[in-house]
């Protein structure tokens, strides 16, 4: 029996993968869509009630208004509910919990291997869009003790740290926000950052005055210009730039030092990776990589971003470009083009 050949396969069901799926669905394209986890997986690992920095109209997708009850910026929960409602509204079929484990171009087609709880599956498509994001795994410090059970690279729920000593490592939005939220949840917070000070223009502007005040009054202890050299069950050893080393006692450590892209699929498919972020090479007018028929969209275009400049709000146009290049279809433009310089780093 000959294998069905789809017009396109979409890999990744974050906001941009879903937006692309709606465009293909509306255009009557025969496509198949996968996510390794549930839809919106990257957003799902934000801490509960984290609020987006972007305004709602900038992160709304596919022309579906994102409306919040209090007209404020959406929270994690509101945005995940919104993504579900978009999938429901267009009745999109997404093969969730089905990671694409291999991707090769053969005889003018792409062969994709996926994995499910029932075993492996094979798929074939003429075109592929990788919307796989850029935050697949934490950036490790590479110090002894980093794998101990009281150490986490994800900030999930401040309640876990009530009346506990928490050492938070990092100095960008994630670390600053975690420090404030843990403090308000009754934790004793210490902040360690490798730079001599916080880079304030990259941080959500409403967080800084409060953090500064808490650090100035010693309610949040901070060590700038400090690096973790060793983690033990009792805490961590920090080294200052002048070489001084000392121990900080901690019940929990949150290492919020960023995330890295998994480049396996890009590499397997033969996509060239370039620059310090190992970003995939693509034509910015079409989003097509150096492999004909293989496209990238969303934050996947940035590789492992050192400083976050690619967000949902400046990725919507990828959908239009891909629809035009893959299928000569003009899809509707729904979104405001954002001023990326306003965005803080995660
Ligand atoms: C705390 C926090 C706050 C943020 N605030 C904002 C904000 O205000 N505004 C903003 O624009 N952005 C914000 N971001 C960043 C935002 O989450 C990303 O910009 C957004 O999720 C990128 O969307 P995407 O569709 O490109 O990729 P992602 O949302 O990362 O989706 C990628 C998807 O691909 C799937 N995938 C990966 N590999 C495979 C594979 N091999 N097979 C199948 N599926 C795969 C993943 O499971 C995932 O669901 C924030 C991030 C954090 C952590």
């Amino acid at each position: 029996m000959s294998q069905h050949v789809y017009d396109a396969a979409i890999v990744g069901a974050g906001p941009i993968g879903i937006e692309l799926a709606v465009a293909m669905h509306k255009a009557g394209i025969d496509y198949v869509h996968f996510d390794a986890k549930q839809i919106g997986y990257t957003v799902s690992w934000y801490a509960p009630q984290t609020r987006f920095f972007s305004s709602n109209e900038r992160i709304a997708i596919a022309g579906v208004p994102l409306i919040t009850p209090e007209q404020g910026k959406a929270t994690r929960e509101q945005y995940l509910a919104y993504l579900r409602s978009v999938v429901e509204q267009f009745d999109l079929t997404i093969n969730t919990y089905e990671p694409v484990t291999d991707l090769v171009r053969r005889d003018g087609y792409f062969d994709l291997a996926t994995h499910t709880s029932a075993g492996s599956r094979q798929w074939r498509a003429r075109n592929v869009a990788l919307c796989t994001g850029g935050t697949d795994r934490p950036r490790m410090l590479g110090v002894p003790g980093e794998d101990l059970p009281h150490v986490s690279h994800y900030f999930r729920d401040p309640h876990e740290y009530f009346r506990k000593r928490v050492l938070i490592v990092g100095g960008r939005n994630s670390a600053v926000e975690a420090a404030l939220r843990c403090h308000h949840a009754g934790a004793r917070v210490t902040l360690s950052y490798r730079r001599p000070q916080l880079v304030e223009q990259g941080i959500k502007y409403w967080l800084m005055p409060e953090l500064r005040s808490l650090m100035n009054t010693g309610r949040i202890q901070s060590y700038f210009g400090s690096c973790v050299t060793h983690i033990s069950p009792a805490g961590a050893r920090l080294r200052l730039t002048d070489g001084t080393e000392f121990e900080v006692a901690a019940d929990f450590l949150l290492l919020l030092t960023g995330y890295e892209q998994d480049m396996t699929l890009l590499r397997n498919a033969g996509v060239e990776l370039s620059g310090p972020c190992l970003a995939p090479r693509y034509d910015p007018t079409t989003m097509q990589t150096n492999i004909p028929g293989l496209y990238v969209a969303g934050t996947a275009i940035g590789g492992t971003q050192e400083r976050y400049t690619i967000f949902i709000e400046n990725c919507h146009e990828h959908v239009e470009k891909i629809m035009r290049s893959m299928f000569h279809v003009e899809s509707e433009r729904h979104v405001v083009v954002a001023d990326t310089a306003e965005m803080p780093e995660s």
Side-chain angles (χ1 to χ4, degrees), residues 73-120:
K73 292 178 180 181
T75 61
R76 162 196 183 274
E77 287 71 13
Q78 288 166 342
Y79 196 65
L80 288 174
Y82 167 77
L83 292 181
R84 295 197 297 273
S85 75
V86 173
V87 171
E88 293 280 20
Q89 177 173 336
F90 295 97
D91 194 21
L92 303 177
T93 301
I94 305 176
N95 296 350
T96 51
Y97 301 102
E98 185 163 357
V100 174
T101 52
D102 198 16
L103 171 65
V104 285
R105 191 162 190 268
R106 210 173 273 132
D107 306 327
Y109 299 112
F110 290 96
D111 285 328
L112 297 93
T114 63
H115 183 77
T116 70
S117 51
S120 302

Side-chain angles (χ1 to χ4, degrees), residues 11-17 34-38 40-43 45-46 50 52-54 59 98-100 131-136 265 297-300 310-313 343 346:
V11 186
I16 302 302
F34 305 98
D35 199 286
K37 302 279 174 54
Q38 186 48 275
Y41 176 65
T42 303
V43 176
W45 55 252
Y46 301 2
T50 300
F52 275 79
F53 180 81
S54 309
I59 55 172
E98 185 163 357
V100 174
C131 310
T132 41
T135 51
D136 299 284
L265 288 184
T299 49
I310 303 161
F311 296 93
I312 300 166
E313 53 180 87
M343 286 295 302
S346 298

